[in-house]
Coordinates of all heavy atoms in Angstrom, one line a residue:
S66 N -15.2 65.9 -27.5 CA -14.2 66.9 -27.3 C -14.9 68.3 -27.2 O -15.6 68.7 -28.1 CB -13.2 66.9 -28.4 OG -12.2 67.9 -28.2
T67 N -14.7 69.0 -26.1 CA -15.2 70.3 -26.0 C -14.1 71.3 -25.8 O -13.1 71.0 -25.2 CB -16.1 70.4 -24.8 OG1 -15.4 70.0 -23.6 CG2 -17.4 69.6 -24.9
P68 N -14.2 72.5 -26.4 CA -13.1 73.4 -26.3 C -12.9 73.9 -24.8 O -13.8 73.9 -24.0 CB -13.5 74.6 -27.1 CG -14.9 74.4 -27.4 CD -15.3 73.0 -27.2
G69 N -11.7 74.2 -24.5 CA -11.4 74.6 -23.1 C -10.2 73.9 -22.5 O -9.7 72.9 -23.1
P70 N -9.8 74.3 -21.3 CA -8.6 73.6 -20.7 C -8.9 72.2 -20.2 O -8.0 71.4 -20.1 CB -8.3 74.5 -19.5 CG -9.5 75.3 -19.3 CD -10.3 75.4 -20.6
M71 N -10.2 71.9 -19.9 CA -10.5 70.5 -19.5 C -11.1 69.7 -20.6 O -11.8 68.7 -20.3 CB -11.6 70.7 -18.3 CG -11.0 71.4 -17.1 SD -9.6 70.7 -16.4 CE -10.2 69.3 -15.7
A72 N -10.8 70.0 -21.8 CA -11.3 69.2 -22.9 C -10.8 67.8 -23.0 O -9.6 67.6 -22.6 CB -11.0 70.0 -24.2
A73 N -11.6 66.9 -23.4 CA -11.1 65.5 -23.6 C -10.3 65.4 -24.9 O -10.8 66.0 -25.9 CB -12.3 64.6 -23.6
R74 N -9.2 64.8 -24.8 CA -8.4 64.7 -26.0 C -8.7 63.4 -26.8 O -9.0 62.4 -26.2 CB -6.9 64.5 -25.6 CG -6.3 65.8 -25.1 CD -4.9 65.7 -24.7 NE -4.1 64.9 -25.7 CZ -3.5 65.5 -26.7 NH1 -3.7 66.7 -27.0 NH2 -2.8 64.7 -27.6
G75 N -8.8 63.6 -28.1 CA -9.0 62.4 -29.0 C -7.7 61.6 -29.1 O -6.6 62.0 -28.7
R76 N -7.8 60.5 -29.8 CA -6.6 59.6 -30.0 C -5.7 60.3 -31.0 O -6.2 60.8 -32.0 CB -7.1 58.3 -30.5 CG -6.0 57.3 -30.7 CD -6.5 56.0 -31.0 NE -5.4 55.0 -31.0 CZ -5.6 53.8 -30.8 NH1 -6.8 53.3 -30.6 NH2 -4.6 53.0 -30.7
G77 N -4.5 60.4 -30.7 CA -3.5 61.1 -31.6 C -3.0 60.4 -32.8 O -3.1 59.2 -32.8
D78 N -2.5 61.1 -33.7 CA -1.9 60.6 -34.9 C -0.5 61.4 -34.9 O -0.5 62.5 -35.3 CB -2.7 60.9 -36.1 CG -2.1 60.3 -37.4 OD1 -1.1 59.5 -37.3 OD2 -2.5 60.7 -38.5
Y79 N 0.6 60.7 -34.5 CA 1.8 61.4 -34.2 C 2.8 61.3 -35.3 O 3.0 60.3 -36.0 CB 2.4 60.9 -32.9 CG 1.5 61.1 -31.7 CD1 0.7 60.0 -31.3 CD2 1.4 62.3 -31.1 CE1 -0.1 60.2 -30.2 CE2 0.6 62.5 -30.0 CZ -0.2 61.4 -29.6 OH -1.0 61.6 -28.5
T80 N 3.6 62.4 -35.5 CA 4.8 62.4 -36.3 C 5.9 63.0 -35.5 O 5.7 64.1 -34.9 CB 4.5 63.2 -37.6 OG1 3.4 62.7 -38.3 CG2 5.8 63.3 -38.5
M81 N 7.1 62.4 -35.6 CA 8.2 62.9 -34.8 C 9.4 63.2 -35.7 O 9.7 62.4 -36.6 CB 8.6 61.8 -33.8 CG 9.6 62.3 -32.8 SD 9.9 61.2 -31.4 CE 10.5 59.7 -32.2
V82 N 9.9 64.5 -35.5 CA 11.0 64.9 -36.4 C 12.1 65.5 -35.5 O 11.8 66.2 -34.5 CB 10.5 66.0 -37.3 CG1 11.6 66.6 -38.2 CG2 9.4 65.5 -38.2
S83 N 13.3 65.3 -35.8 CA 14.4 65.9 -35.0 C 14.9 67.1 -35.7 O 14.8 67.2 -36.9 CB 15.5 64.8 -34.8 OG 16.1 64.5 -36.0
G84 N 15.5 68.0 -34.9 CA 16.1 69.2 -35.5 C 16.7 70.1 -34.5 O 16.8 69.7 -33.3
K85 N 17.2 71.2 -34.9 CA 17.8 72.2 -34.0 C 16.8 73.2 -33.6 O 15.9 73.5 -34.4 CB 19.0 72.8 -34.6 CG 20.1 71.8 -35.0 CD 21.2 72.0 -34.0 CE 22.4 71.0 -34.4 NZ 23.2 70.6 -33.4
Y86 N 17.0 73.9 -32.5 CA 16.2 75.1 -32.2 C 17.1 76.2 -31.8 O 18.2 76.0 -31.3 CB 15.2 74.7 -31.1 CG 15.7 74.3 -29.7 CD1 15.8 75.2 -28.7 CD2 16.1 73.0 -29.5 CE1 16.3 74.9 -27.5 CE2 16.6 72.6 -28.3 CZ 16.7 73.5 -27.3 OH 17.2 73.2 -26.0
S87 N 16.6 77.4 -31.9 CA 17.5 78.6 -31.7 C 17.8 78.7 -30.2 O 17.0 78.5 -29.4 CB 16.8 79.8 -32.2 OG 15.6 80.0 -31.5
G88 N 19.0 79.2 -30.0 CA 19.5 79.4 -28.6 C 20.1 78.2 -27.9 O 20.3 78.3 -26.7
A89 N 20.3 77.1 -28.6 CA 20.9 76.0 -27.9 C 21.8 75.2 -28.8 O 21.7 75.3 -30.1 CB 19.7 75.0 -27.5
T90 N 22.7 74.5 -28.2 CA 23.6 73.7 -29.0 C 23.2 72.2 -29.3 O 23.7 71.6 -30.1 CB 25.0 73.6 -28.3 OG1 24.8 73.1 -27.0 CG2 25.6 75.0 -28.2
S91 N 22.2 71.8 -28.4 CA 21.7 70.4 -28.6 C 20.6 70.4 -29.5 O 20.0 71.4 -29.9 CB 21.3 69.9 -27.2 OG 20.3 70.6 -26.7
S92 N 20.2 69.2 -29.9 CA 19.1 69.0 -30.8 C 17.8 68.9 -30.1 O 17.8 68.7 -28.9 CB 19.3 67.7 -31.7 OG 20.4 67.8 -32.5
A93 N 16.7 68.9 -30.8 CA 15.4 68.8 -30.2 C 14.5 67.8 -31.0 O 14.9 67.5 -32.1 CB 14.7 70.2 -30.2
V94 N 13.5 67.4 -30.4 CA 12.6 66.5 -31.0 C 11.2 67.2 -31.1 O 10.7 67.7 -30.1 CB 12.4 65.1 -30.2 CG1 11.3 64.3 -30.9 CG2 13.7 64.4 -30.2
Y95 N 10.7 67.3 -32.3 CA 9.4 67.9 -32.5 C 8.4 66.8 -32.7 O 8.5 66.0 -33.6 CB 9.4 68.8 -33.8 CG 10.4 70.0 -33.6 CD1 11.7 69.9 -33.9 CD2 9.9 71.2 -33.2 CE1 12.6 71.0 -33.8 CE2 10.7 72.3 -33.1 CZ 12.1 72.2 -33.4 OH 12.9 73.2 -33.3
I96 N 7.4 66.8 -31.8 CA 6.3 65.8 -31.9 C 5.0 66.5 -32.3 O 4.5 67.4 -31.6 CB 6.1 65.0 -30.6 CG1 7.4 64.4 -30.2 CG2 5.0 64.0 -30.7 CD1 7.4 63.8 -28.9
V97 N 4.5 66.2 -33.5 CA 3.3 66.8 -34.0 C 2.2 65.8 -33.9 O 2.2 64.7 -34.4 CB 3.5 67.2 -35.5 CG1 2.2 67.9 -36.0 CG2 4.7 68.1 -35.7
D98 N 1.1 66.2 -33.2 CA -0.1 65.4 -33.1 C -1.1 66.0 -34.1 O -1.7 67.0 -33.9 CB -0.7 65.5 -31.7 CG -1.9 64.7 -31.5 OD1 -2.4 64.1 -32.5 OD2 -2.4 64.6 -30.3
V99 N -1.2 65.3 -35.2 CA -2.0 65.8 -36.3 C -3.5 65.8 -36.0 O -4.3 66.7 -36.3 CB -1.8 65.0 -37.6 CG1 -2.6 65.5 -38.8 CG2 -0.3 65.1 -38.0

Side-chain angles (χ1 to χ4, degrees):
S66 181
T67 56
M71 299 301 288
R74 290 181 43 83
R76 186 174 189 155
D78 182 16
Y79 300 100
T80 301
M81 188 167 64
V82 179
S83 66
K85 299 256 184 204
Y86 62 99
S87 61
T90 58
S91 63
S92 297
V94 176
Y95 296 85
I96 302 173
V97 181
D98 183 356
V99 179

